[in-house]
Amino acid sequence: MIDEGLYCSLRQLLEEGFFHADPHPGNLVATEGGSLAYFDFGMMGDIPRHYRVGLIQMLVHYVNRDSLGLANDFHSLGFVPEGTDLLAVADALRFSFGDVRRQSNDFQGVMNHLYDVMYEFSFSLPPDYALVIRALGSLEGTAKALDPEFKVIESAYPFVIGRLLADPSPDMRKILRELLICDDGSIRWNRLERLIAAISEQSSESSSASGADSSENANGSPEWRSFDMHSVIAATEDLFDFILSRKGWRVRVFLVQDIVNASDVFLQEATFPYVYAKVGKIGDLNPERSKMIRRLVNTVQSFRQAINLAPDAWSAMLIRTLLKPESQKFVLDVFLALANHSSYKIPETFWLFMSRFLNYLDKQDIL
């Protein structure tokens, strides 16, 4: 029922824009059919689309701890007075983020992060945004009465990601890129890994429960937490298009560097046998390199699982992408970078790899 209430509130806030601003226990009742009914519509809020997009963007910038991006969000939404030094706001936010004593994933904790900054710079919230804060705070308070460990922001994150993947509008695609790509063009690999893992896990659960006449999947997770695979594929193709465009040149530079570094670690640690093994078997690798290897293996395995859920659609998208001249040029750039790097690394790394790989085969009684 907590998930049902969260879904109702998030859909009202982020999709419809017309929401119940006082969802306390006295205004909610569970029906016999398992639905949630609302009462007392005396306190309702109405937020236009650009405010809803701004709310999602603020969440992404908060998750990224992007203080300057968050300061710009506050300015574009009219929260701070004109003429305010946004760099000073960003510095104050950065200081607040750095206070480990106040780190939190619940809504009240996030607001505690922001209250001092809001007071210092004379923030002025539009009335409907004040109602958003009230609604989320009331929702979290109601949920905590049933589950003291409930955190509304952490629980809402899958819904927000689902909205980013499902909405093809330019502003939502831009927010998705900001979630995965740093300002300097480098990839947030930890976020990408978590996103791919979540897509694979949730979509797999939804697929395993397909055909069941229930609002929950086989593992008890509500259907709204699952990702639509066709939306995921469309978002992935848009992301590829951006990376291959002129605007994505810095991303391509970092990607080439990351691919070269990963290939070097891959060969030096002789990790080929681990790609199809369980992640838990990677513990005997060089500790300095195991983190990269673990991330690589996790991502490859999760991506394979996601592809298996819609192989035809994924294959069609990947073929379309690979046939583009920009893709072929990027593949050539990667090949040349690997060849240049390998010109002095292969004599050492290749034989080390072969030695470890043959040793692995010997232990498996393959030789």
Side-chain angles (χ1 to χ4, degrees):
M1 190 51 63
I2 293 178
D3 282 326
E4 186 71 19
L6 179 64
Y7 167 70
C8 290
S9 292
L10 291 175
R11 185 172 180 185
Q12 292 169 33
L13 285 168
L14 301 180
E15 290 187 8
E16 306 300 332
F18 186 61
F19 62 96
H20 195 295
D22 195 21
H24 63 75
N27 288 339
L28 302 171
V29 64
T31 68
E32 292 183 357
S35 299
L36 194 65
Y38 284 73
F39 294 96
D40 187 1
F41 301 99
M43 188 176 293
M44 303 293 294
D46 188 7
I47 51 177
R49 186 180 188 281
H50 74 278
Y51 274 136
R52 302 199 299 272
V53 172
L55 190 61
I56 294 175
Q57 185 160 284
M58 282 194 296
L59 176 61
V60 169
H61 286 156
Y62 179 83
V63 169
N64 288 344
R65 293 299 191 265
D66 181 356
S67 56
L68 184 57
L70 201 53
N72 284 319
D73 293 338
F74 293 150
H75 179 262
S76 64
L77 293 171
F79 290 2
V80 294
E82 287 295 332
T84 300
D85 184 353
L86 296 183
L87 291 178
V89 176
D91 288 341
L93 289 168
R94 189 177 300 110
F95 177 79
S96 178
F97 294 157
D99 188 350
V100 295
R101 296 169 300 175
R102 302 174 65 184
Q103 296 293 328
S104 177
N105 284 325
D106 61 9
F107 181 72
Q108 191 57 52
V110 171
M111 292 310 301
N112 289 338
H113 259 146
L114 300 177
Y115 278 142
D116 291 343
V117 179
M118 295 170 70
Y119 179 78
E120 179 182 354
F121 292 95
S122 303
F123 276 44
S124 177
L125 297 182
D128 284 322
Y129 248 104
L131 288 178
V132 169
I133 293 175
R134 177 185 176 87
L136 291 175
S138 181
L139 174 66
E140 185 172 72
T142 300
K144 280 183 176 292
L146 300 174
D147 179 7
E149 299 301 318
F150 179 82
K151 295 177 175 59
V152 68
I153 291 183
E154 182 178 304
S155 301
Y157 199 61
F159 183 91
V160 173
I161 295 300
R163 289 290 301 147
L164 289 176
L165 292 171
D167 191 335
S169 61
D171 47 10
M172 297 294 266
R173 286 291 189 252
K174 179 176 180 292
I175 296 173
L176 180 61
R177 291 197 298 269
E178 289 180 351
L179 179 70
L180 300 176
I181 301 173
C182 298
D183 290 339
D184 63 0
S186 58
I187 303 291
R188 302 182 197 270
W189 289 109
N190 59 330
R191 296 276 163 74
L192 182 61
E193 176 191 346
R194 287 168 53 192
L195 179 60
I196 293 175
I199 290 171
S200 174
E201 176 185 353
Q202 298 293 350
S203 298
S204 178
E205 290 174 357
S206 177
S207 177
S208 66
S210 61
D213 186 18
S214 172
S215 62
E216 296 190 356
N217 59 32
N219 290 331
S221 298
E223 286 294 324
W224 62 268
R225 289 183 181 272
S226 300
F227 299 101
D228 175 67
M229 190 53 60
H230 292 287
S231 296
V232 171
I233 294 171
T236 303
E237 187 168 12
D238 285 347
L239 186 62
F240 284 161
D241 288 342
F242 170 78
I243 292 174
L244 295 171
S245 70
R246 289 185 178 181
K247 293 182 179 179
W249 69 269
R250 289 190 298 178
V251 184
R252 295 197 298 275
V253 170
F254 277 101
L255 268 177
V256 170
Q257 293 175 356
D258 290 340
I259 291 171
V260 169
N261 292 336
S263 66
D264 192 36
V265 172
F266 183 85
L267 287 174
Q268 287 197 31
E269 295 296 344
T271 54
F272 177 80
Y274 297 96
V275 172
Y276 291 93
K278 293 183 179 179
V279 175
K281 295 183 178 181
I282 305 179
D284 58 341
L285 297 178
N286 185 324
E288 297 180 358
R289 304 173 184 269
S290 62
K291 185 177 181 180
M292 178 181 290
I293 297 301
R294 191 179 302 275
R295 180 167 294 165
L296 175 65
V297 172
N298 284 340
T299 303
V300 169
Q301 291 178 339
S302 296
F303 191 58
R304 284 171 52 210
Q305 293 173 8
I307 289 178
N308 289 337
L309 295 173
D312 293 340
W314 276 106
S315 298
M317 185 275 288
L318 292 173
I319 290 173
R320 284 196 305 271
T321 301
L322 289 173
L323 289 177
K324 295 177 180 178
E326 298 87 353
S327 296
Q328 297 167 16
K329 183 180 182 304
F330 177 67
V331 171
L332 179 61
D333 290 341
V334 172
F335 177 79
L336 292 176
L338 288 172
N340 181 62
H341 181 73
S342 300
S343 62
Y344 65 91
K345 293 293 290 186
I346 276 185
E348 169 191 346
T349 305
F350 176 76
W351 292 113
L352 178 62
F353 168 77
M354 288 301 298
S355 174
R356 293 181 177 179
F357 184 56
L358 290 173
N359 182 58
Y360 167 81
L361 295 179
D362 182 56
K363 288 182 179 180
Q364 301 298 316
D365 293 327
I366 297 176
L367 294 179

